[in-house]
Amino acid sequence: MAVIEATGLGKRYGAKSAVVDLSFRVDPRSVTGFLGPNGSGKSTTMRLMLGLDNGDGRTTFDGVPFRSMRDPMRHVGALLEAKAFHPTRKARNHLRLLAAANGIPDSRVDEVLAMVGLHSVTSAKPKSFSLGMGQRLGIAAALLGDPHTLILDEPANGLDPQGITWLRNLLQQLAGEGRSVFVSSHLLSEMALLADQLVIIGRGRLIASGALSDFVTSNARTAVIVRSPDMALLGPALAARGAYARPGDEGAYDVTGIEQSVVGDLAHEVGARLHELSTRRATLEEAFLDATGMSEEFIGGVQQRPPAAQGQSGDYWQGPAQGEGR
Amino acid sequence: MTSALRYEWRRLWSIRSTYWLIGITFGLQLIATLLAAMGTGAVNDVFDAAETVSQIITLGAATGLSPLFTAYIIAMFGVFCFGHEYRYGMIRATLTAVPDRRAVFAAKALITALLAAVMSVGCSLIGMFSSMVFLDTRGALGSEAVWYVVLGSAIYTMLFGLCGMAFAALVRNQTGALAMILLIPLVAENVLSLVLRLVSEGGSDAVEIAKVLPFDAGAQMYASAFADELNRFLGYDPLGAVNGGLVFAGFTALLMAGSFALFLSRDA
């Protein structure tokens, strides 16, 4: 077991709150993505979890706070920032240094260097490393103690496409071995492929947590697309089942709050012809932007199209229990 | 604590600056003391053998008229032990490897103090060797007067190195700490001392304050018999080795305590 439990995390910088009463749980055998807009407090949260920043709350790893651990790298591996190493200390010596403090045999150093693909530069000085190579060295440091928990802050930064694929496979393999992997990223497309659980924050507060698939499915943009010349029949029937139908593209309707199969059954019952019946799933990016829209602190000057108007006038049908699914 | 010591020990010996600092310190000391011994000519009545050796190993600092040159190079070990952590963003990696900040600070202090003291003694031994090359000083090498200077300069260098470490931990900036360890003793304290002495000529007790300026007070630990005579001749009565050493040690302890408290309470 390797359960991370964060309870009531909080951090203030003067009058500004960076993290506010943030609680979440990360379970083993999962890659948990930590998402939030820039400046939402992700890195601060990770530092609080490891006792590097002073603040409120408590984080335990299998019931033990990080600062109380003996040989902590054997329990929790962390990557907090790229290129956190002395530029002239050889890659192997950098890891030997960390290993020495945690009772990890030096032989493990070459193992993890090979694991991250740096076996050919073990004696090179990191000042010549690219950002991606620096990230790999940081990941090697996190893996050094063969820990049950990994906390990685933007590990994909600087990695090339092959590197990102390698990272994805590595993290999924590690999670599959029963470890807890907690990883932040601003690359939503990567996170969609990488994570199976999500913790989403905005302005330091928890917005959502749970399975990635639930988060995407529950988003308003996930809808059943219905195209029918008999919407006058089908619309009220959908509304009666608690669904919400609004005009979509090219004469189709976006129906939320109801399964595709139920729409098909209803159409059959009321005798409505169907020219199209399909489900459009929201992307993680759409779901994330909707979830954090109210929390975005640094919205640029570009005007965004407002969400589709909602109401009951015209050709809208809405059930008594509004079925946005959120 | 053993984890922190293992970490700090490997940290020290896995960077090039450790080796070039040792090389520069011992190399410059060898060249400078050889030149000093060659230039001295011969042991005479004013500078007997013990006095001559004392001045050669401290490059004249034992007269009280010049700073202890080697201490300024050796203090860089103290500055670097925290300076590198902040300059290269290593501090978070360090504290995730050793989360006990008290142990991290204590290990750095212990290794800095030990290294500074050992290197200072090494410099003294190099000076003794140089004196023997050109002068007949063999008989004075084991004398109490010489070992008093050797011990005094080792303690001074140790405390000086700890001041460098404390400055780096306080300002969390390597360049700033280097500037502080050079400018505070060499410029700020000397200017202040000069002003206080000038003021005291008007009849005030300002010179008493000048005596407790920490780096100057600490230098009394390696002051030779010649320095004592010179001070008597100038009518200046410094604190002496023990009291001066205590003032410098007290100052260092305050500096260390302040930087320790901030290291514990600040975000990494």
Side-chain angles (χ1 to χ4, degrees):
Chain A
M1 284 292 284
V3 178
I4 306 174
E5 281 189 294
T7 313
L9 297 182
K11 176 71 181 173
R12 295 182 69 83
Y13 295 106
K16 182 176 163 55
S17 293
V19 178
V20 184
D21 194 23
L22 183 60
S23 301
F24 57 87
R25 178 185 163 102
V26 176
D27 287 312
R29 294 194 174 278
S30 71
V31 176
T32 301
F34 191 29
L35 288 176
N38 286 339
S40 59
K42 298 189 298 294
S43 297
T44 305
T45 300
M46 287 184 158
R47 292 197 300 271
L48 283 169
M49 292 170 74
L50 298 171
L52 294 169
D53 281 8
N54 298 300
D56 301 326
R58 174 182 166 89
T59 305
T60 58
F61 302 87
D62 279 346
V64 184
F66 185 78
R67 286 177 77 162
S68 303
M69 287 178 186
R70 184 177 172 83
D71 297 336
M73 293 182 77
R74 287 175 173 271
H75 307 284
V76 180
L79 167 71
L80 292 176
E81 53 201 316
K83 294 208 160 192
F85 37 68
H86 192 287
T88 63
R89 181 181 285 120
K90 294 172 183 174
R92 179 187 278 132
N93 285 341
H94 173 72
L95 297 181
R96 280 166 52 99
L97 168 69
L98 300 169
N102 285 268
I104 298 164
D106 287 347
S107 57
R108 174 70 180 160
V109 168
D110 287 331
E111 280 177 31
V112 291
L113 281 169
M115 202 183 289
V116 301
L118 291 180
H119 49 280
S120 60
V121 290
T122 55
S123 295
K125 295 182 175 69
K127 67 180 176 184
S128 63
F129 283 11
S130 65
L131 180 61
M133 290 167 81
Q135 286 286 41
R136 285 172 184 263
L137 184 56
I139 293 166
L143 296 173
L144 194 58
D146 197 16
H148 57 62
T149 300
L150 285 167
I151 293 183
L152 310 172
D153 194 5
E154 304 272 3
N157 265 5
L159 293 182
D160 53 23
Q162 291 92 334
I164 291 175
T165 303
W166 163 79
L167 177 70
R168 183 168 68 230
N169 293 337
L170 175 72
L171 296 187
Q172 285 175 343
Q173 179 196 328
L174 293 168
E177 290 168 2
R179 295 170 222 262
S180 296
V181 180
F182 188 54
V183 51
S184 76
S185 176
H186 66 275
L187 298 173
L188 294 168
S189 53
E190 274 314 309
M191 196 60 93
L193 295 170
L194 189 68
D196 39 43
Q197 299 286 318
L198 288 180
V199 172
I200 300 176
I201 64 170
R203 290 191 178 177
R205 295 171 195 271
L206 185 70
I207 290 177
S209 70
L212 183 143
S213 55
D214 291 348
F215 176 68
V216 171
T217 305
S218 66
N219 183 263
R221 295 180 200 237
T222 296
V224 178
I225 310 300
V226 178
R227 194 187 306 272
S228 168
D230 302 318
M231 277 308 286
L233 291 171
L234 184 56
L238 290 168
R241 294 293 289 264
Y244 174 57
R246 65 174 179 234
D249 297 332
E250 297 172 9
Y253 279 78
D254 295 352
V255 184
T256 54
I258 196 164
E259 291 289 317
Q260 179 183 327
S261 58
V262 181
V263 177
D265 291 348
L266 272 177
H268 178 70
E269 283 173 21
V270 300
R273 291 165 293 168
L274 288 177
H275 291 178
E276 181 182 347
L277 181 63
S278 61
T279 298
R280 184 189 65 217
R281 298 202 173 277
T283 63
L284 175 60
E285 185 174 1
E286 287 170 337
F288 173 77
L289 290 174
D290 283 351
T292 59
M294 298 299 289
S295 301
E296 179 64 78
E297 287 183 84
F298 306 108
I299 294 175
V302 178
Q303 288 290 315
Q304 295 185 0
R305 194 164 60 102
Q310 296 175 10
Q312 283 193 284
S313 61
D315 292 333
Y316 291 76
W317 286 276
Q318 182 176 337
Q322 207 272 348
E324 282 286 310
R326 293 284 300 278
Chain B
M1 182 66 187
T2 51
S3 296
L5 279 171
R6 280 200 302 267
Y7 182 90
E8 188 59 21
W9 188 251
R10 277 208 177 164
R11 188 202 66 76
L12 180 69
W13 298 109
S14 58
I15 41 176
R16 280 191 311 183
S17 62
T18 300
Y19 299 94
W20 63 251
L21 263 183
I22 291 174
I24 285 175
T25 308
F26 288 153
L28 287 180
Q29 174 76 353
L30 180 65
I31 294 167
T33 53
L34 281 172
L35 289 172
M38 193 169 68
T40 299
V43 172
N44 56 44
D45 290 342
V46 179
F47 272 28
D48 62 12
E51 185 66 40
T52 302
V53 175
S54 298
Q55 298 306 338
I56 287 172
I57 65 178
T58 61
L59 292 171
T63 59
L65 298 174
S66 64
L68 188 60
F69 167 71
T70 50
Y72 286 82
I73 308 179
I74 295 169
M76 287 191 199
F77 285 110
V79 172
F80 286 172
C81 83
F82 263 116
H84 283 166
E85 298 276 6
Y86 292 110
R87 182 170 183 190
Y88 302 115
M90 273 291 290
I91 189 65
R92 288 178 187 150
T94 298
L95 291 177
T96 47
V98 189
D100 184 351
R101 296 189 187 198
R102 282 171 293 199
V104 169
F105 193 93
K108 286 184 182 296
L110 193 64
I111 288 179
T112 295
L114 194 69
L115 183 67
V118 168
M119 286 200 64
S120 175
V121 171
C123 286
S124 294
L125 294 174
I126 288 171
M128 290 179 186
F129 165 79
S130 298
S131 72
M132 285 192 302
V133 172
F134 292 103
L135 301 163
D136 182 19
T137 56
R138 192 179 300 265
L141 294 184
S143 72
E144 192 179 326
V146 169
W147 283 107
Y148 161 81
V149 172
V150 171
L151 181 66
S153 51
I155 296 171
Y156 180 88
T157 304
M158 184 180 80
L159 295 173
F160 201 79
L162 290 175
C163 286
M165 173 186 146
F167 284 142
L170 275 175
V171 299
R172 296 191 288 185
N173 180 296
Q174 184 168 293
T175 311
L178 280 173
M180 288 170 85
I181 198 64
L182 291 175
L183 297 180
I184 290 176
L186 288 177
V187 179
E189 197 174 276
N190 278 336
V191 169
L192 188 58
S193 178
L194 189 65
V195 169
L196 289 169
R197 288 182 199 211
L198 286 173
V199 169
S200 69
E201 286 183 3
S204 81
D205 289 336
V207 73
E208 296 302 317
I209 300 172
K211 287 180 187 175
V212 294
L213 292 175
F215 293 100
D216 197 32
Q220 299 306 315
M221 283 191 287
Y222 56 81
S224 67
F226 173 80
D228 294 339
E229 285 178 28
L230 187 65
N231 282 326
R232 267 198 297 278
F233 175 74
L234 295 171
Y236 182 59
D237 181 25
L239 287 178
V242 175
N243 289 338
L246 286 174
V247 166
F248 189 40
F251 171 78
T252 307
L254 278 176
L255 213 52
M256 292 287 282
S259 60
F260 179 61
L262 284 173
F263 181 61
L264 291 187
S265 62
R266 279 168 166 169
D267 292 340

